[in-house]
Amino acid sequence: MTSKLNTLFLMFFSLYGFFYFHSGLQKIVVSGSLWGWPFENEIIYNLLAIRDRGWLQNAPQWLVDFHFDYFLAFGTVGQVLVLITELAAIFVLWSKRLAKWLFLGIFILHFHVFVLNGALFWLWGTVGAFLIYALLKMKVDVFSKRNFLISIPLMIVFVFALQVSKLGWYDSRLDNFFELEAELYKGEKEMVSLNTMKPYTLHFQYGNFLSVVDYKNIYSGFLMLNKSDFEALAGVDSSGAMELIESKGVNVYRPEMRQELSNILDSFLVNSGPQENEWLNYFQPPPYWNAHYTDTLAEVKGPETVGITVYHSCVLRDRSGGRTLLWKRPVITREKNEFGELIYK
């Protein structure tokens, strides 16, 4: 029984270490050098992009300023430590002492990511907590140089057997995102929170509806997977950014996706869209990306509105927090008449 239990935990620790090592490896791949990524990537653009999506917008100004200054000052150092921790995860089975330090590093990593942009890796945190418990309390004897060597081919198998997200990218100056505008019965129009469109909020935040946009774009959101594109944006102005989009961009427009989004908006206007179980919201883990929880924009209900418009916006940022709007284009507008009936154009 003990032998089987040790084998099981050998697999658990190998799998956990693999995911973090794979993340570090992808950062090396995207940069093309061992230590290029932490010194090249501008993590402050990640912070600014998520702030525009609502993260910590309702926080006191002193906290917002401290938040910005902290990551501006320590962003590069933090990314060096992130890369070291992720690459070192391949040695998780080398010794019990090293495993303790690795789990501490992983905890600090996740805490800083959450503080940076509201991303809560609750699933990996839960698995990590379970393995820490096993590490400290259970009679698990899987830490040895021999088991470390055994884990290497296991990790190679995981590479080919599992479709793992590539967590290697650059945080770009260029950011494109969706915004919502509601027209109220009292005749006013106002920008509203993406949380208005729950349960589709995260789809809007991730840029999953980019195929409703009928013009060229480089990437959804602000993450760039190509180093040359990232470098090309380093010193350009707005006209240079537009030229880059025109030369490197791709139009991913799909009429069927536009129709699907129109249907979602129609459902929202008539009955506020799919209804969530409010009680379950108190029990289920929070979504991966939590920026909308601190958004200061209002939420509205479909029956309270005359119309809803989805905008696609694109901005070019600078390190000081400033930004230049490249465009804010209406993508889809859905409306009701005075009788509450949908208007089909």
Side-chain angles (χ1 to χ4, degrees):
M1 180 64 182
T2 302
S3 176
K4 291 181 179 180
L5 187 62
N6 285 351
T7 301
L8 179 63
F9 277 97
L10 174 66
M11 292 288 293
F12 277 146
F13 280 101
S14 296
L15 182 60
Y16 198 73
F18 156 75
F19 274 100
Y20 289 96
F21 173 74
H22 185 266
S23 176
L25 185 62
Q26 289 301 318
K27 292 175 174 63
I28 294 175
V29 170
V30 74
S31 69
S33 63
L34 179 59
W35 293 110
W37 178 81
F39 296 98
E40 297 162 350
N41 187 46
E42 296 279 4
I43 198 172
I44 203 70
Y45 294 139
N46 186 302
L47 182 153
L48 294 172
I50 302 302
R51 183 181 293 179
D52 271 359
R53 287 159 172 79
W55 183 237
L56 298 185
Q57 285 186 2
N58 59 3
Q61 188 59 46
W62 68 267
L63 181 58
V64 172
D65 293 339
F66 176 80
H67 185 243
F68 179 86
D69 293 339
Y70 177 85
F71 284 99
L72 186 64
F74 300 108
T76 298
V77 174
Q79 290 180 129
V80 169
L81 295 176
V82 165
L83 186 59
I84 291 174
T85 299
E86 290 179 337
L87 294 177
I90 197 173
F91 295 99
V92 67
L93 290 170
W94 185 267
S95 71
K96 192 171 184 177
R97 174 177 293 182
L98 178 60
K100 291 179 180 179
W101 282 106
L102 281 173
F103 278 112
L104 176 62
I106 289 171
F107 171 79
I108 295 174
L109 184 159
H110 285 312
F111 173 77
H112 272 79
V113 169
F114 177 75
V115 172
L116 172 70
N117 60 25
L120 182 62
F121 291 86
W122 62 267
L123 179 59
W124 285 104
T126 301
V127 174
F130 169 73
L131 292 179
I132 291 173
Y133 177 82
L135 185 68
L136 299 176
K137 298 295 184 181
M138 299 178 68
K139 295 181 179 179
V140 179
D141 186 20
V142 295
F143 301 98
S144 67
K145 311 301 185 292
R146 173 179 173 274
N147 283 346
F148 161 70
L149 294 175
I150 292 175
S151 72
I152 300 302
L154 281 176
M155 292 188 183
I156 294 174
V157 171
F158 293 148
V159 170
F160 294 100
L162 302 174
Q163 293 186 356
V164 183
S165 299
K166 294 183 178 180
L167 298 178
W169 58 68
Y170 286 99
D171 298 304
S172 168
R173 293 181 64 202
L174 194 65
D175 181 19
N176 62 102
F177 49 91
F178 289 101
E179 297 180 279
L180 290 176
E181 180 185 74
E183 181 178 356
L184 308 180
Y185 275 103
K186 54 187 176 182
E188 298 177 354
K189 292 184 178 181
E190 63 179 67
M191 303 307 296
V192 296
S193 172
L194 289 179
N195 211 32
T196 293
M197 295 304 299
K198 56 187 177 186
Y200 301 105
T201 299
L202 297 183
H203 290 285
F204 280 101
Q205 287 190 342
Y206 296 160
N208 292 347
F209 290 115
L210 191 62
S211 55
V212 304
V213 172
D214 193 9
Y215 44 80
K216 286 185 177 180
N217 210 65
I218 294 186
Y219 300 101
S220 61
F222 57 92
L223 303 180
M224 283 197 165
L225 306 179
N226 187 302
K227 183 177 179 179
S228 64
D229 293 344
F230 171 77
E231 292 177 332
L233 284 165
V236 301
D237 56 12
S238 57
S239 60
M242 292 297 288
E243 289 175 5
L244 182 68
I245 293 171
E246 185 60 32
S247 63
K248 296 286 188 73
V250 177
N251 188 334
V252 295
Y253 176 69
R254 292 171 52 209
E256 61 272 24
M257 178 59 80
R258 183 183 182 88
Q259 184 58 54
E260 288 295 327
L261 182 53
S262 294
N263 294 341
I264 291 172
L265 297 178
D266 288 347
S267 176
F268 166 78
L269 286 174
V270 173
N271 56 25
S272 290
Q275 301 301 304
E276 294 182 313
N277 188 311
E278 294 185 3
W279 286 104
L280 287 180
N281 288 338
Y282 293 102
F283 298 101
Q284 66 183 5
Y288 157 71
W289 201 353
N290 306 291
H292 56 286
Y293 285 163
T294 54
D295 193 346
T296 56
L297 294 174
E299 294 181 35
V300 296
K301 301 295 184 182
E304 302 170 352
T305 64
V306 176
I308 189 84
T309 298
V310 176
Y311 287 91
H312 182 247
S313 299
C314 185
V315 300
L316 185 68
R317 306 184 190 282
D318 59 63
R319 279 172 54 89
S320 65
R323 69 176 196 169
T324 302
L325 181 66
L326 300 184
W327 69 71
K328 181 177 180 179
R329 299 166 176 167
V331 179
I332 297 177
T333 297
R334 303 299 299 142
E335 298 175 313
K336 295 183 294 190
N337 60 24
E338 62 270 25
F339 304 108
E341 300 168 334
L342 294 170
I343 300 174
Y344 293 95
K345 300 180 180 179

